[in-house]
């Protein structure tokens, strides 16, 4: 299995697990404050890990041309998206909001294909639709009584939140070759501060330490580590495929709730599982291969000396050792199976 696929599924598993794990806390934390603390745990935790890794604070490594993409991703994904969702949840039912959140992978893929010209064949499209169908089935309201919506503004706000996160995913793809810890940490920190500020504005109080500590830890794992893995997956798979794999998170979260919390299994769960397994199988068995041209490129990321990295070093570095530095790619034309990763973002 491709390493980037493992990153994407692991990101979905950690994010999906955050909901049932947060439920284990058994506390009455307001939703906006809970979201803020989870994001804050993500941002603070990742920045601490980065300082430990680098033995102190180091520069981001982002080039001047990459900063606008990251700032845009933070604005749309860390500020506008959460605010729009919280506003929408006050004006719509939870069931409707859960169903509408399935718009995010759809909009992510559409933006990737239409705006950013990312390649996708019919197999990938069908796989994505199957995974999304599984998410719709899983989040379908179990009650036979329809919920009356308060206003059309609620669903519209949730849809706008999905659109913001779709933009976030595609903008993050543009900087995914850079330090994943910095990217994920910055996004988590800004989203946490914004959501906590909104919560305090709405009258929330500071939570006790015995609630704060496990909440921050769950945020670090379910939002922080998950986002790092998501960025690594974007690096190797592109936005549309990563978004499709990540949309298995509700199913993985439900599976964890069944195993950890002992919740009952419904027929809808198994129907959703069948859809998602079929969709993931379609993606895993994809084979995209053709003669393609690599334009000259200079960037920095962790790599080994493979077919795309044949350059000299000032000091001897074994080909099998993974290392990171700024390097140049000459123009080359060849033929091999590939994904729309950071080296294969060409037109078709």
């Amino acid at each position: 299995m491709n390493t980037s696929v493992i990153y994407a599924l692991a990101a979905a598993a950690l994010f999906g697990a955050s909901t049932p794990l947060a439920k284990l806390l058994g506390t009455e934390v307001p939703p906006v404050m809970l979201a803020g603390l989870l994001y804050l745990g993500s941002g603070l935790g990742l920045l601490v890990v980065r300082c430990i890794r680098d033995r102190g604070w180091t520069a981001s490594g982002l080039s001047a041309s990459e900063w606008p993409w990251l700032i845009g991703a933070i604005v749309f994904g860390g500020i506008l998206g959460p605010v729009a969702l919280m506003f929408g949840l006050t004006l719509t039912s939870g069931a409707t909001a859960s169903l509408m959140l399935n718009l995010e992978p759809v909009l992510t893929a559409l933006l990737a294909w239409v705006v950013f010209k990312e390649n996708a064949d019919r197999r990938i499209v069908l796989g994505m639709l199957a995974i999304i169908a599984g998410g719709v089935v899983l989040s379908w309201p179990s009650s036979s009584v329809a919920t009356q919506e308060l206003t059309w503004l609620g669903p519209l706000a949730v849809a706008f939140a999905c659109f913001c996160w779709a933009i976030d995913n595609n903008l993050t793809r543009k900087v995914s070759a850079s330090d994943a810890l910095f990217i994920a940490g910055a996004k988590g920190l800004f989203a946490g501060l914004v959501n906590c500020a909104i919560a305090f504005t709405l009258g929330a109080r500071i939570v006790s330490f015995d609630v704060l500590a496990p909440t921050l830890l769950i945020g670090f794992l379910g939002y922080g580590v998950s986002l790092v893995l998501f960025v690594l997956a974007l690096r190797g798979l592109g936005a549309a495929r990563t978004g499709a794999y990540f949309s298995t998170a509700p199913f993985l979260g439900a599976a964890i709730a069944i195993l950890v919390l002992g919740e009952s299994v419904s027929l809808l769960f198994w129907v959703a599982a069948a859809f998602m397994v079929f969709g993931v199988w379609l993606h895993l068995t994809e084979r995209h291969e053709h003669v393609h041209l690599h334009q000259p490129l200079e960037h920095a990321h962790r790599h080994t000396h493979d077919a795309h990295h044949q350059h000299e070093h000032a000091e001897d570095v074994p080909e099998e050792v993974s290392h990171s530095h700024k390097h140049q790619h000459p123009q080359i034309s060849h033929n091999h199976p590939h994904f729309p990763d950071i080296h294969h973002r060409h037109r078709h």
Side-chain angles (χ1 to χ4, degrees):
M1 184 184 295
N2 185 281
T3 304
S4 298
V5 173
I6 297 175
Y7 288 149
L9 292 175
L14 284 172
F15 183 73
S18 64
T19 299
L21 288 178
K23 188 176 180 180
L24 282 176
L25 297 175
T27 58
E28 294 298 328
V29 181
V32 182
M33 176 60 78
L34 180 60
L37 292 177
L38 290 171
Y39 276 120
L40 204 58
S42 161
L44 293 175
L46 292 179
L47 293 181
V48 169
V49 170
R50 185 172 184 269
C51 286
I52 294 174
R53 182 198 66 183
D54 298 339
R55 298 179 181 179
W57 179 258
T58 58
S60 66
L62 292 173
S63 65
S65 62
E66 289 178 314
W67 274 105
W69 300 115
L70 179 58
I71 293 173
I74 291 174
V75 170
F76 281 99
I79 300 176
L80 295 180
V83 171
L85 178 63
M86 295 307 149
F87 175 74
L89 288 176
T90 64
L91 298 174
T92 189
S93 68
T96 298
S98 297
L99 286 173
M100 295 201 66
L101 286 175
N102 288 288
L103 281 173
E104 181 185 345
V106 177
L107 294 174
T108 296
L110 288 176
L111 285 175
W113 298 334
V114 176
V115 178
F116 294 94
K117 307 303 180 182
E118 188 174 298
N119 171 259
D121 55 25
R122 276 182 277 183
R123 189 181 192 87
I124 292 300
V125 175
L126 180 60
M128 186 199 71
L129 293 177
I131 293 172
I132 293 170
V136 171
V137 171
L138 192 66
S139 56
W140 197 263
S142 57
S143 173
S144 60
V145 180
T147 302
Q148 181 65 39
E149 299 296 341
L150 298 178
T151 173
W152 58 270
L153 283 176
L156 183 62
V158 176
F160 179 71
C162 292
F163 181 65
C164 289
W165 285 319
I167 295 176
D168 169 23
N169 293 338
N170 280 278
L171 295 183
T172 302
R173 171 185 178 267
K174 302 288 286 186
V175 297
S176 59
S178 300
D179 186 2
L181 278 176
F182 177 81
I183 293 170
K187 291 173 70 175
L189 186 61
F190 274 94
L193 292 174
V194 169
N195 279 275
C196 285
I198 294 173
F200 284 126
T201 302
L202 296 176
R205 299 179 180 180
I206 299 177
V207 299
S208 60
F209 180 78
D210 59 335
V211 173
L212 178 65
T215 303
L216 292 177
L217 177 60
I218 292 172
F220 170 66
L221 296 173
Y223 284 60
V225 177
S226 173
L227 185 52
V228 170
L229 293 171
F230 186 86
V231 173
L232 293 176
L234 284 172
R235 182 183 298 175
L237 297 174
R241 289 164 178 80
T242 301
Y245 282 120
F246 192 76
S247 61
T248 62
F251 165 71
L252 297 173
I256 291 171
I258 291 167
L259 295 174
V260 177
L261 303 180
E263 295 184 359
S264 60
V265 182
S266 67
L267 177 61
L268 288 180
F269 175 84
W270 295 113
V271 174
F275 272 116
M276 290 189 171
V277 168
F278 176 62
V280 170
W281 175 79
L282 286 174
H283 279 218
L284 289 177
T285 53
E286 174 198 11
R287 184 178 178 86
H288 180 71
E289 181 177 0
H290 60 90
V291 176
H292 54 277
L293 176 66
H294 292 270
Q295 297 294 343
L297 174 67
E298 182 179 21
H299 60 182
H301 65 92
R302 187 159 294 278
H303 62 278
T304 55
H305 286 182
D306 55 20
H308 296 94
H309 299 90
Q310 297 294 326
H311 48 258
E312 299 294 331
H313 292 85
E315 57 187 29
D316 185 36
V317 177
E319 293 185 3
E320 66 275 7
V321 175
S322 177
H323 55 280
S324 178
H325 62 89
K326 182 170 288 188
H327 56 276
Q328 292 182 337
H329 293 270
Q331 181 171 298
I332 183 176
S333 177
H334 58 183
N335 183 2
H336 65 90
H338 58 275
F339 293 103
D341 57 27
I342 57 175
H343 299 108
H344 296 91
R345 294 176 178 174
H346 47 256
R347 296 293 181 93
H348 291 77

